[in-house]
Amino acid sequence: MTAPAGGPVPGARRPRLSAAAREGVAGWLFVAPVVVILGLFMLLPILMALWVSLTEWNGQGSPFRASVPFVGMDNYTRLFTEEGLARQDFMTSIRNNFYYVVIVVPAQTVLALGLAMIVNSRLLKGRTFFRAAFFFPSVTSSVAISVVFLFIFANSGAVSRLLELVGINGPQWFSDPRGTLHLLLGALGLVDPDAPPAALTGGGPFGLSWWEWLSGPSVAMTTIIVLVVWTTSGTFMLMFLAALQDIPVTLEEASRLDGAGRWQTFRYVTLPLLKPTLFLVLTLGTIATWQVFDQVYVMSQGDPAKTTLTPAYLSYKTAFRNFDYGPGTAISFVLFVIIVVLALVQRWVLRDRDAVPRPGRRARKGKAWR
C-alpha cells in the first residue's frame, strides 16, 4: 500500500528530538516557573510604571482608565527643558547625588580593599575577630545606624564635644547647607562664599548657576557620606577577601624572588588579578549610591535647603507625598537610565585590553592575524 503523494509513509516512525533538543526543552520546563514569577512580579510592574510615567495619574483608581490624562513625554521634558520648580529640584538632586557618588564609591572601594589586605595577612593574629568586626556594620540595620549617627552628630553630640576639646567649634552638622567646596575655597582665600563672583552666579546649565553646581557636598551630606562609607565597606571587604584568597601564593613569592617590592607586587601581580572583583565592587557601589534613600529619609529628608535631596528620595516625595505619580515615576526611569549608562561605561573602562582578539574580527578589519 502506497502513501499519498507528499504524505507520511504508513508505519514509519516519527523523527525523535536530538539529545540537545531534549535538554533544551527540559531546561525551559525547569526555569518556566521562575520566568513566570519574574514576568508577573518584576517585568509587568516595570511596564505598568512606564505607562504611569506617561500620564498624570494622581494615585486614585486605576492608572489604565480612559479618564487618566495621557501627557506623553511631558513628564520627562519638564525635568530637563522647562523652567520651573520641577527641573530645579531634579537638577539639585542630581548635583547632590553626583558629589555623593564621586566621594563614596572610591572611598568605600579603597577602604574595603585595604581592610581585605589587612585581614588576609598571615601575620595578623585574631583574623576572624577583625573580619567579623569590620563586617558587622554592614549587617546592622541602616535605619538604626542612621538614628545613632543623628545623636553622635547632634549639636551636643560626641563629635561636637570632641572637637571642643581641641578648641574647634564644629558646625551644626545636619542644619548646615553650606557646600564643602565653597568652604574650602573660602578658607584658601580664593573666593568669598558670601559674595561669589558674578560670572559664576549669572547663569548655568539646567536651571542652576555654576556656583550651585560647584558647591560640593554640603556639610549635612558629608555626614551621610561618612556613615555610608563606614557601613558598606564591610560587604565589599568580603568580596576582595575572597578574591585575594583565590590568588596563588606562588605568584607573589615568585615576584618577590624576582626582586619586586610590596608595592610592585601589589601593582603588577595582585591588582590585575583583582580586576573582575574590582569591576563588581565598583558596579554595585555605583548602583547603590545612585539609589540612596534610607539614610536621607531618616536623617534629613532632603534638608537643609535641599542639599541632601537625591533623585530616589525626590521620586518618593513627588509620588507618595505630592501625589504626582507621573513625574515621580519619570524621575525613577531617568535614574534607571543613568545607572545603566554608568555601568556600561565602567565595563568599557575596566575591560581586558590584553585579551587576544578573535581571528574573525581581525579578518573583517583586513588585518593579518598574529
Side-chain angles (χ1 to χ4, degrees):
M1 183 177 181
T2 59
V9 179
R13 295 183 178 180
R14 295 181 178 179
R16 295 183 178 181
L17 294 176
S18 63
R22 290 197 300 269
E23 290 180 359
V25 172
W28 278 109
L29 290 177
F30 277 110
V31 302
V34 178
V35 172
V36 173
I37 292 175
L38 292 178
L40 289 177
F41 296 101
M42 187 176 71
L43 181 60
L44 183 60
I46 290 176
L47 296 177
M48 294 172 64
L50 182 61
W51 168 259
V52 172
S53 69
L54 304 176
T55 66
E56 288 186 351
W57 184 50
N58 59 3
Q60 298 181 0
S62 172
F64 304 102
R65 293 177 302 165
S67 59
V68 176
F70 179 80
V71 296
M73 299 297 294
D74 288 351
N75 290 330
Y76 294 91
T77 57
R78 291 172 190 168
L79 301 176
F80 295 95
T81 60
E82 296 184 10
E83 294 286 346
L85 184 61
R87 186 177 75 165
Q88 184 177 4
D89 287 348
F90 178 69
M91 290 304 164
T92 300
S93 68
I94 292 293
R95 178 203 63 185
N96 299 336
N97 217 146
F98 170 77
Y99 284 113
Y100 177 87
V101 173
V102 167
I103 296 176
V104 170
V105 173
Q108 69 185 7
T109 303
V110 173
L111 180 58
L113 180 56
L115 294 177
M117 296 287 290
I118 292 174
V119 299
N120 190 51
S121 176
R122 294 185 295 272
L123 302 177
L124 179 66
K125 296 181 179 180
R127 287 182 294 175
T128 303
F129 168 77
F130 286 105
R131 292 174 184 176
F134 293 151
F135 182 65
F136 181 75
S138 300
V139 297
T140 307
S141 170
S142 60
V143 175
I145 294 182
S146 300
V147 173
V148 172
F149 261 64
L150 285 174
F151 287 101
I152 294 176
F153 284 91
N155 296 336
S156 59
V159 175
S160 298
R161 292 297 178 88
L162 290 175
L163 293 177
E164 290 176 359
L165 294 178
V166 295
I168 300 177
N169 187 15
Q172 297 180 354
W173 298 99
F174 290 104
S175 302
D176 196 338
R178 295 176 298 173
T180 54
L181 185 56
H182 289 173
L183 295 177
L184 178 61
L185 294 176
L188 296 176
L190 300 177
V191 176
D192 184 4
D194 298 326
L200 297 178
T201 58
F206 300 110
L208 297 182
S209 65
W210 287 109
W211 180 250
E212 292 174 316
W213 281 110
L214 299 175
S215 64
S218 66
V219 176
M221 179 63 84
T222 304
T223 59
I224 299 178
I225 289 174
V226 173
L227 164 65
V228 173
V229 171
W230 177 60
T231 55
T232 57
S233 299
T235 301
F236 298 135
M237 177 200 70
L238 291 185
M239 297 181 184
F240 280 123
L241 180 60
L244 288 172
Q245 293 179 346
D246 197 40
I247 298 176
V249 181
T250 55
L251 293 179
E252 297 182 357
E253 294 177 349
S255 64
R256 297 290 178 85
L257 292 176
D258 290 338
R262 291 185 177 180
W263 168 248
Q264 292 175 325
T265 301
F266 173 77
R267 180 180 178 182
Y268 296 106
V269 177
T270 305
L271 195 58
L273 294 175
L274 292 177
K275 184 179 288 187
T277 306
L278 182 62
F279 169 74
L280 175 64
V281 169
L282 290 176
T283 302
L284 294 179
T286 302
I287 293 174
T289 49
W290 274 106
Q291 293 179 336
V292 57
F293 175 82
D294 300 356
Q295 295 81 5
V296 174
Y297 179 82
V298 174
M299 304 175 76
S300 64
Q301 297 192 358
D303 294 326
K306 300 180 181 179
T307 56
T308 61
L309 188 66
T310 61
Y313 182 78
L314 180 61
S315 175
Y316 158 79
K317 182 180 179 181
T318 303
F320 295 99
R321 290 192 176 181
N322 300 337
F323 301 102
D324 293 330
Y325 286 87
T329 310
I331 294 173
S332 65
F333 275 97
V334 173
L335 183 60
F336 169 75
V337 173
I338 292 174
I339 293 174
V340 171
V341 170
L342 290 178
L344 294 177
V345 170
Q346 287 181 346
R347 182 179 179 85
W348 179 80
V349 171
L350 295 176
R351 71 189 188 280
D352 191 1
R353 295 178 176 84
D354 297 330
V356 179
R358 290 178 295 180
R361 297 180 62 182
R362 286 275 186 169
R364 285 194 298 268
K365 293 181 179 180
K367 297 181 180 180
W369 171 255
R370 296 181 181 178

